[in-house]
Amino acid sequence: MCGIFGVYNYYGDVGEFRQRALDLSKKLRHRGPDWSGCIVADNNIVCHERLAIVGVDTGAQPLTNADESIVLTVNGEIYNHKKLEAELKQPTSFKTHSDCEVILHMYSEIGTDVCAKLDGMFSWALLDRRSAKSRLVAARDPIGITTLYIGRVSAHPETVFIASELKSLNEECDQIDEFPPGHYFDSEDGQFHRYFKPDWWTPERIATAPVDYRQLRESLTAAVRKRLMAEVPYGVLLSGGLDSSLISSIAVREAARISASAQSDTEDIDTRGARYFPRMHSFSIGLPGAPDLIAARKVAKFLRTAHHELTYTVQEGLDAVADVIYHLETYDVTTIRASTPMYLMSRKIKSTGVKMVLSGEGADEVFGGYLYFHYAPNADDFHKETVNRQVSDGVGYSWIDSLKEWAERRVSDEAMAAVHERFPYDTPSTKEAYLYRELFEQHFPQQACLKSVVRWVPRTDWGCSADPSGRAQKIHDKAY
């Protein structure tokens, strides 16, 4: 993932602030180590930290149109960029091979309607300088795959900060909000506007169509296939479970087909780079002896992937928790539990040169696979939950138990008894949550940072346990 940073309508001397903006953008360089770019225009600054995936040779950002009246910084991939390029009405000369450049040319023709036309994962900020007063338009993909925050300064309400991560905003802004998925922000009215409006989004509308397994299979295959347009080595996260194994098998098959098609250039999708990386990499992680590692090994052997297996100790996981909290910018218990092993594996993946991976994450949210879904009172509430609710944990119980024991040692009974005094806002209810909150505030002590955190809260109104772990749900015992 790339990192984007921008300041619109800066209230001071923008020339003097440029170096400060570069320093704030630099905090995102772990996301984009391949190139850094910065454009200062009037009293606006647009920065970019690049991770090159598509258009490796020419896709440096920020991107501009011919006369540089439109400036764009993007984190993401636009899967239908070729189709959109063909829809442009005006003759257009592209400066790069980036799949993201089409956004600024499409915006030039149809304005903010471009948001609803994009098929991809993205967050971007666009500066339109064609009028006397510059205009900022920023957008985030429909379900928030990419991160994005918006910040403001109370004393200067017309100034707007945009960044991929909280750490680029917390020292400058006293108001920080997570940018809502499926929306765009327009400085002309200072409001968010929802552009993502599928018919199933309305909570009152419950899905009633009969199950169509062929459609499900074809949709899933297409979703995997369009994500394989990278010009760099890519791979899959493989736990050996149903979801990751399905994605891996489809990815291996489709990568082979794309590679073959690329030789004749007959495909209407982006196949650049496919011919260079014919063998899929797969990655798995677990504590020593974890059943997931054994299952992943079997799947990898069957699929003939270049398999990489990583084991970690409980202590190595505990040592990484503080870094995980810093990078994820959260104190949410569920997120930290699940993300720590992923963080360790991501470091391993980076060392191999692989820049893009697919995973089976998201299936349990869409299909209600987590144990707590068994407590849904009725079909309507079940459907609403699949639409509206961040995730439960999907990690081993021994890891969760180790985290709880660690927190028990680190947080005293006396400290927990005074938790309401220590944390009056969003008060932690367990020692584990207390510890994560304490580590979070070491990096992000500002009140504005607390209000930007999105937490997964168990459905206690359904009779679920307050602990987000799947094992804490009574239905778990019944399964055995």
Side-chain angles (χ1 to χ4, degrees):
M1 288 294 179
C2 303
I4 68 172
F5 175 80
V7 184
Y8 169 76
N9 198 22
Y10 184 63
Y11 53 83
D13 187 317
V14 74
E16 293 182 359
F17 188 72
R18 182 180 185 276
Q19 184 56 53
R20 175 59 175 160
L22 289 174
D23 291 339
L24 294 173
S25 181
K26 189 176 181 179
K27 293 185 176 185
L28 305 173
R29 195 156 295 169
H30 58 280
R31 302 173 63 94
D34 297 332
W35 182 257
S36 301
C38 179
I39 291 179
V40 178
D42 304 321
N43 59 338
N44 312 291
I45 300 178
V46 181
C47 301
H48 190 263
E49 305 292 339
R50 188 186 187 208
L51 179 67
I53 301 293
V54 177
V56 173
D57 55 343
T58 63
Q61 297 190 39
L63 301 166
T64 63
N65 61 347
D67 62 4
E68 299 189 349
S69 60
I70 301 178
V71 183
L72 175 70
T73 181
V74 189
N75 168 32
E77 295 182 34
I78 308 303
Y79 306 126
N80 64 336
H81 67 105
K82 283 191 170 183
K83 178 176 181 293
L84 295 179
E85 290 170 16
E87 291 180 8
L88 291 170
K89 295 180 173 58
Q90 301 297 325
T92 304
S93 176
F94 281 72
K95 293 183 177 182
T96 74
H97 295 149
S98 170
D99 53 300
C100 297
E101 185 179 348
V102 71
I103 296 174
L104 67 84
H105 299 303
M106 186 66 71
Y107 168 84
S108 180
E109 293 189 359
I110 64 174
T112 57
D113 287 344
V114 65
C115 299
K117 284 184 168 288
L118 301 177
D119 177 11
M121 57 178 189
F122 55 81
S123 52
W124 49 264
L126 180 148
L127 181 66
D128 185 347
R129 303 171 58 216
R130 294 176 298 177
S131 302
K133 183 179 180 180
S134 296
R135 178 187 187 186
L136 170 70
V137 176
R140 190 179 181 195
D141 64 68
I143 61 174
I145 300 174
T146 60
T147 58
L148 192 62
Y149 294 88
I150 186 167
R152 296 181 176 85
V153 180
S154 297
H156 306 281
E158 291 191 356
T159 297
V160 178
F161 289 73
I162 295 285
S164 294
E165 296 185 10
L166 187 65
K167 59 182 63 67
S168 293
L169 302 177
N170 64 307
E171 295 175 356
E172 296 293 327
C173 304
D174 57 14
Q175 179 184 341
I176 304 173
D177 297 295
E178 182 191 32
F179 199 106
H183 288 72
Y184 69 85
F185 171 85
D186 192 342
S187 65
E188 288 197 337
D189 60 10
Q191 301 295 317
F192 290 105
H193 302 266
R194 173 171 285 284
Y195 69 84
F196 182 60
K197 303 174 182 178
D199 56 3
W200 49 262
W201 188 260
T202 304
E204 291 73 28
R205 185 188 181 280
I206 307 300
T208 57
V211 175
D212 187 335
Y213 292 112
R214 178 182 292 275
Q215 182 184 33
L216 179 60
R217 178 188 178 119
E218 292 175 351
S219 297
L220 181 60
T221 299
V224 172
R225 184 180 179 87
K226 69 186 178 185
R227 285 166 171 78
L228 300 178
M229 66 179 192
E231 296 177 27
V232 295
Y234 51 77
V236 292
L237 304 185
L238 181 58
S239 69
L242 175 63
D243 302 329
S244 67
S245 297
L246 275 174
I247 298 300
S248 298
S249 64
I250 295 171
V252 168
R253 183 185 67 219
E254 294 304 312
R257 289 178 177 175
I258 291 173
S259 183
S261 299
Q263 304 301 324
S264 57
D265 293 323
T266 59
E267 287 287 332
D268 60 354
I269 64 170
D270 196 336
T271 59
R272 288 177 293 172
R275 70 193 74 183
Y276 304 118
F277 313 110
R279 194 176 183 201
M280 188 74 67
H281 293 265
S282 59
F283 302 88
S284 63
I285 186 171
L287 295 169
D292 282 4
L293 294 178
I294 299 172
R297 214 175 295 150
K298 292 179 179 178
V299 176
K301 182 179 180 180
F302 178 79
L303 296 177
R304 298 182 180 179
T305 61
H307 191 57
H308 310 264
E309 184 176 294
L310 174 65
T311 58
Y312 71 101
T313 65
V314 168
Q315 189 58 55
E316 288 171 332
L318 297 178
D319 290 343
V321 168
D323 288 339
V324 170
I325 290 173
Y326 173 73
H327 286 296
L328 290 185
E329 304 173 332
T330 186
Y331 51 83
D332 176 60
V333 171
T334 298
T335 303
I336 295 166
R337 286 176 175 177
S339 298
T340 302
M342 295 296 293
Y343 170 76
L344 295 173
M345 184 161 62
S346 296
R347 295 185 64 185
K348 173 67 175 179
I349 293 172
K350 182 180 179 181
S351 72
T352 68
V354 170
K355 288 187 173 182
M356 187 276 282
V357 293
L358 301 180
S359 77
E361 294 181 358
D364 286 318
E365 288 72 32
V366 174
F367 295 103
Y370 290 120
L371 290 172
Y372 84 93
F373 277 97
H374 286 270
Y375 290 97
N378 51 61
D380 289 3
D381 285 341
F382 181 96
H383 170 78
K384 293 174 183 177
E385 188 75 359
T386 62
V387 172
N388 297 322
R389 296 280 284 181
Q390 267 54 46
V391 296
S392 180
D393 61 56
V395 293
Y397 296 141
S398 59
W399 168 238
I400 294 174
D401 289 341
S402 298
L403 287 169
K404 290 180 178 180
E405 292 168 4
W406 181 52
E408 187 67 34
R409 297 192 300 269
R410 293 280 299 269
V411 180
S412 68
D413 293 339
E414 292 76 14
M416 197 63 199
V419 65
H420 288 278
E421 298 175 16
R422 175 71 175 84
F423 302 115
Y425 174 82
D426 200 10
T427 307
S429 59
T430 66
K431 287 187 177 182
E432 186 183 5
Y434 186 112
L435 178 57
Y436 298 159
R437 178 68 169 274
E438 198 170 54
L439 293 171
F440 175 86
E441 292 196 7
Q442 289 177 11
H443 298 296
F444 308 104
Q446 298 85 357
Q447 184 71 15
C449 297
L450 298 178
K451 296 184 178 180
S452 71
V453 173
V454 178
R455 290 203 303 117
W456 188 88
V457 180
R459 294 300 303 262
T460 53
D461 56 327
W462 285 4
C464 297
S465 167
D467 189 312
S469 171
R471 187 176 57 172
Q473 311 308 328
K474 296 177 182 177
I475 197 70
H476 177 275
D477 296 330
K478 293 181 180 180
Y480 292 91

